Amino acid sequence: RAGIKPFWREVLQLDEADNPDDLVSATGDVPLVWFQESGDEFYWDVNGDQWTQTFGAVTARIHLTDELSANQSKQVCYTGSFGSRSQNCLISNSSDKQESLITVEASDLGSNQTLTFAVGFNKGTFTLGPEIAEEKRRQALLVGAAVGAGTLPPVLTLTFMIHRWRKYGRDPRGRGVIVPEYLPPKGFNALSGGFILEETLPPKAVSAAIVELAVKHYLVISEIKKKQFIGSSTDYELELTKDVSALSEEQNKVISALFEENPTIGSTVKLSSLRNKLYSDLKEINEMLAIKLSSAGYFVGNPAKTRNKYIGRGVALIIAGVALSFTGVLAPLGIGLAISGAIITIFAKAMPARTKTGVETRDYLLGLKEYINLAEKDRLKVLQSPHGAQKTTLDPSDQKQKIKLFEDMLPYAILFGLEKDWAKEFQDIYTQPPDWYRGNWPSGNTAYLAS
């Protein structure tokens, strides 16, 4: 058809189910003429359809040897712009003793119009030369190289990172069974406990730390109701009520974040004023705990540095891969490098490793979570077991002991996301609000307090 750039067409093998007569043009007019089902075809655009000038006359002459002429079967020509099936052209044949000549002519071709012809030959007249085989081999090599460049780097990176994690990032084997624990771990607080569990500081650990400081009477939490045009809103005020010199470094950092530098007893702050500030201090507290706990032997190395090292490498590979993906020939390699960078970045979270001591502490904290999850009757059984009696005793009828248990474990329940379930188990243990909380108190409702 008209408008195809000149090329030698290879033999097209049609399946038996294909019927060339059923094939029509994109415009639905003159059916396509297919020679390939019966043999070979020479298909040629004479002047091409990219010229904006007009052509008064276009002529093409196809010179055939007698041998080729004897194998020549069909002829057809088209004129017009791209996709046209117009046949305003003439094909004539002549011969002499030396050769046969096919002449194709057209006149008055407009802008972007071309003359196109197709000459059919008996099947097997032409065979593919070594250049075609070489080109196919070259194309196959290029495709193979592109596939290899896109898949090999991610496969090698994944293999390397799995090996790296097994060697450096995997925790030592723990005790295997999580035993319910019913006392907070000695020397730990909600902040350090949260870091041990997550290998980084979870944001909810700050909320747990505030409640922990209140329970230990360093803070008083006051609920403030504000009337609005429609309904009311609730804010909370924190008051520093005790000298903080005995607190850990990370707890003092929380106090500084709450009350600014050098707070004094009696200092107050409203939580609404800290909405966009408090959690901005998380990064500094996180770095502080990473150094402290790794130096104390809970981690093989500084978890923050270990994680950031792999994230940095992963991001660098992603950037390099994205840059290469726009270079054309190196695009597959760029995609492979970008995927490799993503794999390293994903593995970064798993690369910090705890020591044996760190694993034991993590298992203890998980035991604490297991204990908080227990129903009341099962919790009492644990406390009254020989193992439990060695650490503490709890008289179920003693409200003061039950309140102490509830308050001591409340920060960790918040850390584990179980504060509502924990509060339900201690419903109505208060006859009056605790001395660390001031505000609306519906019948000593612990669920309201946890909320």
Side-chain angles (χ1 to χ4, degrees), residues 350-362:
M351 292 311 294
R354 301 177 184 87
T355 61
K356 186 71 173 177
T357 302
V359 170
E360 291 173 354
T361 305
R362 178 205 62 190

Side-chain angles (χ1 to χ4, degrees), residues 62-66 68-70 93-102:
I62 305 95
H63 300 261
L64 303 176
T65 64
D66 290 339
L68 283 178
S69 180
N93 295 272
S94 61
S95 62
D96 56 28
K97 294 181 180 180
Q98 296 180 344
E99 64 178 9
S100 295
L101 182 67
I102 301 173

Side-chain angles (χ1 to χ4, degrees), residues 14-37:
L14 292 179
D15 295 333
E16 293 180 2
D18 294 329
N19 183 359
D21 294 334
D22 294 336
L23 299 174
V24 298
S25 70
T27 57
D29 45 20
V30 181
L32 287 167
V33 177
W34 292 82
F35 298 152
Q36 295 94 337
E37 72 274 11

Side-chain angles (χ1 to χ4, degrees), residues 81-307:
S81 57
F82 180 84
S84 171
R85 296 294 180 268
S86 298
Q87 293 182 292
N88 299 320
C89 51
L90 178 67
I91 296 182
S92 59
N93 295 272
S94 61
S95 62
D96 56 28
K97 294 181 180 180
Q98 296 180 344
E99 64 178 9
S100 295
L101 182 67
I102 301 173
T103 304
V104 186
E105 299 174 282
S107 59
D108 298 326
L109 295 180
S111 174
N112 298 112
Q113 292 186 347
T114 185
L115 169 64
T116 299
F117 68 83
V119 178
F121 295 86
N122 295 331
K123 189 174 183 178
T125 299
F126 299 99
T127 58
L128 300 181
E131 298 84 357
I132 301 298
E134 179 62 29
E135 177 65 15
K136 287 186 174 181
R137 283 194 295 269
R138 191 182 74 84
Q139 292 294 335
L141 287 174
L142 288 175
V143 171
V147 172
T151 59
L152 192 58
V155 170
L156 292 177
T157 301
L158 180 61
T159 304
F160 173 78
M161 290 307 299
I162 291 175
H163 171 75
R164 192 88 179 166
W165 173 78
R166 286 178 174 174
K167 188 172 182 180
Y168 300 108
R170 185 162 52 178
D171 289 342
R173 187 181 298 275
R175 55 189 176 186
V177 178
I178 302 301
V179 179
E181 302 289 351
Y182 34 86
L183 289 176
K186 291 183 178 180
F188 273 78
N189 52 61
L191 294 168
S192 53
F195 194 98
I196 287 288
L197 282 174
E198 304 288 341
E199 297 178 333
T200 188
L201 186 65
K204 59 187 175 182
V206 176
S207 301
I210 290 174
V211 173
E212 185 177 46
L213 291 169
V215 168
K216 295 182 180 298
H217 301 101
Y218 287 93
L219 299 175
V220 169
I221 303 174
S222 299
E223 181 180 344
I224 303 172
K225 287 285 185 181
K226 293 182 179 180
K227 290 185 179 182
Q228 295 180 329
F229 181 73
I230 299 177
S232 61
S233 64
T234 303
D235 197 359
Y236 295 90
E237 184 179 74
L238 304 179
E239 180 183 354
L240 186 62
T241 57
K242 187 177 177 181
D243 179 65
V244 297
S245 58
L247 293 177
S248 66
E249 185 181 11
E250 61 272 14
Q251 287 174 316
N252 266 298
K253 180 59 183 176
V254 171
I255 294 293
S256 297
L258 292 172
F259 298 98
E260 304 297 343
E261 297 296 330
N262 302 318
T264 58
I265 295 176
S267 297
T268 60
V269 64
K270 291 181 180 178
L271 283 183
S272 59
S273 67
L274 303 170
R275 184 165 297 158
N276 299 318
K277 176 186 181 300
L278 185 57
Y279 289 104
S280 65
D281 294 284
L282 270 177
K283 183 178 180 181
E284 188 173 344
I285 299 173
N286 186 77
E287 293 173 352
M288 184 184 297
L289 285 168
I291 296 172
K292 175 182 177 180
L293 294 175
S294 57
S295 299
Y298 292 96
F299 292 95
V300 175
N302 185 315
K305 288 185 177 180
T306 300
R307 189 181 299 106

Side-chain angles (χ1 to χ4, degrees), residues 47-94:
N47 56 299
D49 62 356
Q50 303 299 303
W51 300 100
T52 57
Q53 70 188 62
T54 60
F55 290 85
V58 177
T59 302
R61 298 180 179 87
I62 305 95
H63 300 261
L64 303 176
T65 64
D66 290 339
E67 182 183 0
L68 283 178
S69 180
N71 283 287
Q72 197 269 313
S73 57
K74 303 175 183 178
Q75 305 165 356
V76 68
C77 64
Y78 299 100
T79 57
S81 57
F82 180 84
S84 171
R85 296 294 180 268
S86 298
Q87 293 182 292
N88 299 320
C89 51
L90 178 67
I91 296 182
S92 59
N93 295 272
S94 61

